[in-house]
């Protein structure tokens, strides 16, 4: 499938990470996550963020003939590549009658 995702900061470590995944039908993922930034330790320079693991939960809303609202657990890591670009990898797990697992990999642009 194809995904479009976003990152909206609520506090320094609390984020809203909405996304939509389109395959046979559309699924809207609405998680709230907590970030755990990992920074370099350099005595002579300002610490630099190396990676940002995150974990959270929320809801998955699916469309189509069998549309539903399911529980969502999500986790992953963002790796800053520059001031504007971030690599991201994550896993989303939706729970209903069966368990759906999705993996996502991508590059994000900050503006």
């Amino acid at each position: 499938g194809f995904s479009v995702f976003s990152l909206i900061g609520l506090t320094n470590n609390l984020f809203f990470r909405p996304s939509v995944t389109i395959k046979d039908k559309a699924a809207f993922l609405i998680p709230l996550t907590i970030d755990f930034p990992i920074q370099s330790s350099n005595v002579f320079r300002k610490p630099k963020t190396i990676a940002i693991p995150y974990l959270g939960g929320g809801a998955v809303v699916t469309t189509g003939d069998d549309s539903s609202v399911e529980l969502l657990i999500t986790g992953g890591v963002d790796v800053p590549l520059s001031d504007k670009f971030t690599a991201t990898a994550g896993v989303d797990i939706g729970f209903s009658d069966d368990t759906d697992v999705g993996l996502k990999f991508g590059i994000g642009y900050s503006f």
Side-chain angles (χ1 to χ4, degrees), residues 75-90:
V77 63
D78 293 335
V79 178
L81 302 175
S82 69
D83 289 342
K84 294 290 182 184
F85 291 96
T86 301
T88 187

Side-chain angles (χ1 to χ4, degrees), residues 39-72:
Q39 297 184 333
S40 65
S41 58
N42 190 330
V43 177
F44 301 107
R45 295 185 190 181
K46 180 180 174 185
K48 180 179 177 183
T49 301
I50 300 169
I52 307 166
Y54 63 88
L55 188 61
V60 178
V61 179
T62 58
T63 62
D65 295 337
D66 57 344
S67 60
S68 65
V69 177
E70 305 170 357
L71 177 65
L72 170 70

